[in-house]
Amino acid sequence: MTMASTKSTHSTSSRRVSYFYDAEVGNYHYGQGHPMKPHRVRMTHNLVVNYGLYKKMDVFRPRLISPTAMTRFHSDDYINFLKVITPDNMSDYTRQLQRFNVGEDCPVFDGLFEFCQLYTSGSIGGAARLNDNNADVVINWSGGLHHAKKAEASGFCYINDCVLAILELLKKHERVLYIDIDIHHGDGVEEAFYSTNRVMTVSFHKFGEYFPGTGDVLDIGYADGKNYAINFPLNDGMDDESYQSVFKPIIAKVMEHFAPGAVVLQCGADSLSGDRLGCFNLSVKGHAECVSFVRTFNIPMLVLGGGGYTLRNVPRCWTYETAVAVGEPVKDDMPFNDYYEYFGPDYSLHLPVSNMENLNSREYLNRTKEQLIDILREVEPVPGTQIQTGGVESALHPRGMLMDVDDSSKADGGNASENNPDQRGDGRSDGRKEHPSEMAS
């Protein structure tokens, strides 16, 4: 696909976009001084509403999944522990806190399990909506918590909604592609599907003395999954031009050889310039170009959040990427919103990048790119082995997610009123219910 055709596809085509959000998600707090702030999702939503982007999407409040649905990937013991642990009873669970890696990076806070249910339900509900062909793109900015393991919290993540959403997509699609542009390696998702050829994981991440420490270019999968884990390790200072010089050719080659039926795109915003924990130098437009490029392939796409720790920048990025997903241009001058003071002194959507040095030489990037393209040439045309992440129920025909669903609605198309974004349909087949009142003040 040429650059000209890519641009024209982005500018002229529209997609049926669904958007999952629950007002409660911004109420949860990891604790004083903790870099992960769920409040950023509320800020993003408020900006999306004030830009008028909600009018271009079906807007849903996720229907909460049952704890049983989480055991499609996670262990029963781990889920039961997350259900019962609270700040008040922590002293009774000292051994389990250690066993499940909960307590420091992944603290216990009020409403922990409900928070996990909220963000995970949006991702699974979004995958179900894609499976039912009710949307071309689904967005859940509260999701993308890609570090969680089968029986262990990790890197601010408790439940791996990415893995659970992929398992849901595998009910319909023979092959699912997972792409991760968070600055941290998507280790939890890679590990879950490391030995299957029905899921390909592709991660572009900072590597070398950096959390989680995995994602070497030589980590390519195991057994039937060999060549189905693609890792591009990067150094500090990655800028827009360098990033796209590797992202686009790698993803184009993945699409050519793997031919996925659906894509999960994790859009961690900690790869932006100026992130509190990150060390890349991407602009909002450079980050969003990844979304735009994947969108041009016209494959059902689930777009998730992830990292992102500079509070004023994450909403900028995810709002712009929402605009890219719906194919709607937005002004750089920010509309007034509930969190307007966060975005001063310029009050613009796009920010300049820093003058930090890019430690990724063109020679290194080209060498690694060719190495990965050689791996992709080894990919068999039609994979077909069983998934073993969660036991027998996650084989070729995974058992149901045990989700309570409403009766199917015959309505199709946008469900947000032009004048009142609170008026949205319920009774959808993917189990959505009407949102009570949180769209805009």
Side-chain angles (χ1 to χ4, degrees):
M1 182 176 287
T2 66
M3 283 302 292
S5 66
T6 299
K7 286 180 180 175
S8 64
T9 305
H10 169 54
S11 59
T12 61
S13 64
S14 61
R15 301 283 192 279
R16 298 171 301 156
V17 180
S18 293
Y19 172 93
F20 282 73
Y21 173 73
D22 193 300
E24 294 296 317
V25 76
N27 294 337
Y28 297 96
H29 189 54
Y30 276 59
Q32 188 172 5
H34 198 290
M36 175 62 109
K37 302 187 186 302
H39 180 61
R40 69 208 172 122
V41 181
R42 175 178 284 166
M43 292 174 63
T44 300
H45 176 73
N46 197 262
L47 207 48
V48 164
V49 168
N50 281 285
Y51 265 112
L53 292 169
Y54 70 90
K55 297 174 185 176
K56 306 292 182 182
M57 305 185 288
D58 284 342
V59 182
F60 295 106
R61 184 186 189 186
R63 184 73 169 266
L64 292 186
I65 59 163
S66 68
T68 310
M70 297 178 179
T71 63
R72 290 279 314 286
F73 172 58
H74 294 286
S75 71
D76 291 352
D77 286 351
Y78 179 54
I79 298 301
N80 289 334
F81 166 76
L82 290 178
K83 280 166 61 180
V84 301
I85 194 71
T86 69
D88 295 331
N89 67 13
M90 282 175 62
S91 58
D92 300 331
Y93 292 92
T94 309
R95 188 175 61 83
Q96 289 95 326
L97 287 165
Q98 192 170 8
R99 174 186 168 194
F100 297 124
N101 195 36
V102 173
E104 292 187 13
D105 276 359
C106 303
V108 177
F109 55 86
D110 286 325
L112 169 58
F113 189 71
E114 290 75 18
F115 170 68
C116 293
Q117 273 186 304
L118 276 185
Y119 75 74
T120 302
S121 297
S123 299
I124 294 177
R129 194 153 176 77
L130 290 173
N131 282 352
D132 292 341
N133 195 28
N134 286 324
D136 304 309
V137 179
V138 178
I139 298 169
N140 174 29
W141 293 127
S142 67
L145 277 70
H146 58 167
H147 294 306
K149 309 296 194 301
K150 185 183 181 77
E152 184 179 308
S154 176
F156 316 156
C157 308
Y158 304 86
I159 299 295
N160 198 317
D161 63 293
C162 309
V163 169
L164 290 167
I166 291 168
L167 289 173
E168 183 71 13
L169 290 167
L170 285 167
K171 291 179 180 179
K172 178 175 180 181
H173 302 283
E174 192 68 31
R175 295 176 298 284
V176 176
L177 171 64
Y178 173 77
I179 304 171
D180 194 313
I181 60 172
D182 193 292
I183 196 171
H184 300 97
H185 177 232
D187 58 336
V189 186
E190 179 184 277
E191 183 179 301
F193 299 109
Y194 204 59
S195 60
T196 178
N197 57 9
R198 288 189 62 204
V199 179
M200 178 174 283
T201 59
V202 184
S203 182
F204 300 83
H205 50 269
K206 158 74 176 166
F207 185 72
E209 295 185 7
Y210 199 72
F211 182 87
T214 51
D216 191 288
V217 69
L218 299 175
D219 297 337
I220 60 172
Y222 173 74
D224 288 327
K226 186 179 179 184
N227 302 324
Y228 290 86
I230 302 297
N231 286 298
F232 206 121
L234 299 164
N235 301 311
D236 292 13
M238 197 67 181
D239 59 26
D240 292 355
E241 183 184 0
S242 294
Y243 205 93
Q244 295 309 321
S245 76
V246 296
F247 182 85
K248 289 182 176 179
I250 293 292
I251 296 304
K253 190 62 70 173
V254 166
M255 294 296 185
E256 177 188 339
H257 287 272
F258 185 61
V263 178
V264 176
L265 178 57
Q266 197 270 17
C267 298
D270 46 7
S271 43
L272 288 176
S273 180
D275 188 79
R276 178 176 166 185
L277 300 185
C279 52
F280 282 0
N281 200 22
L282 296 182
S283 71
V284 167
K285 284 184 179 175
H287 197 271
E289 183 62 26
C290 298
V291 180
S292 179
F293 185 69
V294 176
R295 181 182 183 273
T296 63
F297 290 94
N298 294 331
I299 296 169
M301 177 165 68
L302 179 63
V303 179
L304 304 175
Y309 307 103
T310 299
L311 203 55
R312 64 187 178 274
N313 290 350
V314 178
R316 287 178 154 108
C317 180
W318 290 347
T319 299
Y320 185 68
E321 287 174 347
T322 303
V324 166
V326 300
E328 190 74 9
V330 287
K331 294 179 180 177
D332 190 32
D333 291 336
M334 208 171 267
F336 188 75
N337 61 85
D338 289 355
Y339 307 101
Y340 197 62
E341 68 277 7
Y342 280 78
F343 303 110
D346 53 337
Y347 306 102
S348 60
L349 194 60
H350 298 283
L351 289 174
V353 295
S354 81
N355 61 355
M356 72 184 297
E357 183 184 359
N358 184 357
L359 299 181
N360 300 273
S361 68
R362 185 163 295 184
E363 180 194 14
Y364 167 73
L365 294 175
N366 285 335
R367 186 174 70 246
T368 308
K369 178 175 67 178
E370 291 306 319
Q371 197 173 346
L372 293 174
I373 286 174
D374 286 343
I375 292 168
L376 286 166
R377 290 195 180 103
E378 300 296 317
V379 169
E380 60 174 293
V382 184
T385 193
Q386 289 189 333
I387 302 286
Q388 298 297 341
T389 59
V392 293
E393 69 276 13
S394 57
L396 188 59
H397 300 290
R399 65 174 170 82
M401 292 299 295
L402 301 179
M403 293 174 64
D404 297 324
V405 295
D406 298 328
D407 292 333
S408 179
S409 167
K410 294 181 181 178
D412 199 20
N415 68 336
S417 163
E418 181 75 15
N419 300 316
N420 183 2
D422 288 338
Q423 293 178 4
R424 286 168 289 166
D426 57 2
R428 292 296 186 120
S429 60
D430 51 356
R432 304 305 131 232
K433 60 185 178 183
E434 185 178 352
H435 196 293
S437 62
E438 167 70 15
M439 279 296 286
S441 57

